[in-house]
Each structure stands twice: as C-alpha cells, then as structure tokens.
Amino acid sequence: MKYSMIGTWKMAFDGIKLGENILKNNGNIKDAIDKAISLTEDNPSFNSVGFGSLPNIEGELEFDAAFMDGNDLSFGAICSVKNIKNPIKVAIALSKFKRNCYLSSIGAEKFAHINKFEFKNMLNDDCINRWKHEIKNNFDLDNLEAYDGHDTVCMIGLDSNKNMAVGVSTSGLFLKKAGRVGDSSVIGSGFYCDSLVGGAAATGVGEDIMKGCLSISIINRMKLKQDIQSSCEDAIKEHTERFNLSKYKAGSMSVIALDKNGNFGVATNRDEFPFVVTNEFSQTKILICKNNNSKMEIFEADEKWISNYKYD
Ligand code: SD4
C-alpha cells in the first residue's frame, strides 16, 4: 500500500481525514500526524484530548503526549504539562533531540515557552462543569477507569516514501491525582514505531497498559513474523488473562497497530472499540472492533451506530 493511517476512537475521524488528504498527495507522515492530532486537540467536543478535556482531581488539566519517528526510532514526549495548546507539537519538536527528548511538567513548559509554542487556558465551561458534577460523587482513586468509551487519541501512519510514525495525546484518566502520568507518553507502553516492522499504540487505563508494555509487546510479536491482527489479539488476551491470575481485575485496554506494508491490526478487552482507518484503497471510515470471547470481529460503523454514539 502506498499510504495508510489508523487512529483510536471515533474522535480520530476528522484528523485521519485530514491525514488522508496529506498522504494521498505524497505528504509526509510526520506532517499528517502533527496536523491530525492538533485538529483533535483543538476540538472542544472531544472530551478527553486537548482543549476542554478531563480535569484531574484538583480541577486542572494535565496533558501527556508523544511522537515517534519509525525511521530512526527517535521520539519526543511530554507529561503532566499545563496550558499548552497543542501538546503533540511540543512532543514532535522534542523528537529532534537524541537526549533530553522526554520532559515533564515545568521543564516541558519551559521548553515550549522558549520555543514559542502557543499557550492557552485549556479549561472551558463544559469540562469545569463535568468536573464539578463528578467531584461531588464518591469515587475510588485506586479504581479509576478510562472515561466512558474514549480517551487517548493515538494515530499511526505510513507515507508514500515508506516513512512510518506514531503520535498520541491525552488528558489522561479523569480525576487522576495531580502529577499522575499514564502510559501515553511512555515509550513501549503507550506507543512504539519502527519503520522496518510497524507501529503500535494503546488507549485505556494507563497503569494496566504499562504493566504489559503493550505497544512494544505487539511490535515484538510482529518482529517474530506473527501476523498483525493476532499480534494485537494475543497481546491484549495474554495480558488481560495475567490479571485474572491476580486479585486485580484488568482495566479497559485497546490497541491499534499498522505494519510496514500498511495493514492494520486492532484488539480490545472492552466489548467494543471504535477506530478510524484510511489507505490508498479506502477513504477514511469508522470501523468497530467487537470483542467476541477474545476474538475480534471488525466491521464498518453504519449510520445507526454513528448516530447512537454519544461519547465524543
Ligand atoms: C492514561 N491511557 O492516561 C491514558 C488515557 C486514559 O482515560 O486512560 N484516559 O492512562
């Protein structure tokens, strides 16, 4: 395939559509991911990414984001940053550096300030009201779950020059403790990309994703020539089953992957996980991954599903 792109959740649709336009005109995957994820971050109607997303327990927004270039394995990542309009752009900028490419909170904000990235109050009335409503309830900090059906936006792509890259961006678990960092910015857990093999990324409960280093575990299966779909299914299934041997129940986890030829794989331990794909042969479309006893059924979202979907 000349080009291909995949993204998590229905909220990836507009961004992947933009990516499709860039890639079909022989654009670069880094540019496609930058523009596609920035578009998602800028849209206040997506509750878990960028502007107007999910506040922490103190009512503040703290973002994690990362970018990895599969050609030279360079990556940039930031965690626990506040008031940065497009965290993905800062992660991309950091990926130019061989050292000091993963920065946290004040250090990352200082880097963004010096390099003239845009700052903005990322809270809006909707997310403040969502926080005020939830904070009144009794909730268990030790058993936080991913927000109703959609959380991190992850995108992986292949361009017509065989470059591959992955980008991720999130406000993390709703009502997390201040300073809590999830899987999204952690290489090997939330994302991984090697243009000689493929890319993978994860969404869901970060603590549980990190315990299985899910993204690299998919890539390692693919390196051993396992096909991409069963690499995703086995990574999720084996890791979820490992939880069942302990006293903890696995939180929700979903993964996407793209191989060096542009084929995709996907798996979830939820009932259903929507995702978005485009490639040389298909316009951008929303697909559903349905978990049928750990075997994944994949089908296209119809009008009825799309109009009933309330989460984004
Ligand atoms: C995290 N995987 O921070 C991310 C995003 C998430 O609800 O779970 N959001 O754990």
Side-chain angles (χ1 to χ4, degrees):
M1 252 177 273
K2 261 171 52 189
Y3 67 87
S4 188
M5 202 167 171
I6 182 168
T8 51
W9 310 109
K10 178 176 169 285
M11 67 173 155
F13 185 85
D14 293 348
I16 296 280
K17 186 96 199 129
L18 187 61
E20 177 189 356
N21 278 329
I22 294 170
L23 297 179
K24 80 174 169 209
N25 290 307
N26 297 318
N28 180 273
I29 187 57
K30 188 190 270 195
D31 186 38
I33 286 185
D34 179 349
K35 297 205 164 90
I37 294 191
S38 295
L39 188 75
T40 319
E41 291 173 335
D42 288 341
N43 190 332
S45 62
F46 302 145
N47 289 344
S48 52
V49 173
F51 181 58
S53 47
L54 297 171
N56 67 14
I57 196 162
E58 297 178 6
E60 293 194 294
L61 282 168
E62 290 186 330
F63 302 104
D64 300 337
F67 173 82
M68 184 164 186
D69 182 330
N71 285 353
D72 57 6
L73 309 184
S74 59
F75 83 100
I78 55 176
C79 60
S80 287
V81 299
K82 291 180 190 158
N83 300 320
I84 292 180
K85 179 175 172 282
N86 292 113
I88 190 65
K89 287 188 185 294
V90 182
I92 290 173
L94 281 166
S95 72
K96 285 190 299 216
F97 300 102
K98 275 162 64 183
R99 302 286 183 270
N100 301 293
C101 58
Y102 186 8
L103 301 180
S104 69
S105 61
I106 297 170
E109 289 156 16
K110 200 183 269 183
F111 172 86
H113 186 69
I114 290 167
N115 289 283
K116 303 199 177 349
F117 286 95
E118 205 173 325
F119 279 72
K120 172 179 179 170
N121 175 8
M122 299 295 273
L123 292 164
N124 65 2
D125 288 348
D126 280 352
C127 77
I128 293 170
N129 290 337
R130 214 178 299 132
W131 176 80
K132 280 186 182 158
H133 180 264
E134 255 339 282
I135 203 82
K136 282 190 283 192
N137 295 332
N138 276 333
F139 57 89
D140 174 3
L141 258 185
D142 216 26
N143 281 301
L144 293 178
E145 245 299 334
Y147 191 66
D148 267 353
H150 57 291
D151 24 37
T152 306
V153 69
C154 309
M155 295 187 187
I156 314 168
L158 164 77
D159 68 25
S160 55
N161 289 312
K162 299 193 185 307
N163 303 307
M164 290 196 79
V166 55
V168 302
S169 180
T170 188
S171 56
L173 286 185
F174 191 21
L175 304 175
K176 66 188 179 182
K177 277 191 178 170
R180 176 264 187 193
V181 178
D183 61 303
S184 302
S185 60
V186 177
I187 187 167
S189 284
F191 66 95
Y192 199 83
C193 190
D194 179 345
S195 303
L196 302 179
V197 185
T203 172
V205 178
E207 287 77 358
D208 292 354
I209 292 167
M210 286 189 277
K211 286 169 189 166
C213 302
L214 279 185
S215 294
I216 192 70
S217 97
I218 293 167
I219 298 298
N220 284 341
R221 283 175 166 84
M222 289 162 63
K223 278 186 185 167
L224 296 173
K225 309 283 177 225
Q226 191 175 337
D227 74 85
I228 188 165
Q229 181 55 30
S230 73
S231 294
C232 292
E233 287 184 15
D234 286 358
I236 285 281
K237 182 166 181 271
E238 284 172 24
H239 187 46
T240 303
E241 283 174 359
R242 177 63 184 83
F243 275 88
N244 296 340
L245 299 176
S246 76
K247 58 184 172 172
Y248 300 109
K249 185 177 172 296
S252 67
M253 293 177 266
S254 306
V255 292
I256 55 171
L258 197 73
D259 71 17
K260 63 178 182 183
N261 300 314
N263 304 302
F264 72 81
V266 60
T268 185
N269 66 356
R270 300 164 47 83
D271 290 340
E272 192 178 272
F273 167 56
F275 63 104
V276 179
V277 292
T278 189
N279 61 48
E280 184 190 352
F281 306 114
S282 161
Q283 290 193 337
T284 302
K285 60 185 176 192
I286 302 167
L287 298 178
I288 315 292
C289 171
K290 210 162 181 67
N291 179 349
N292 199 347
N293 284 326
S294 301
K295 281 307 290 174
M296 304 299 139
E297 285 171 22
I298 293 164
F299 52 89
E300 190 166 348
D302 58 20
E303 290 297 322
K304 190 168 163 221
W305 185 93
I306 293 171
S307 62
N308 285 339
Y309 191 74
K310 297 185 186 66
Y311 299 115
D312 287 350

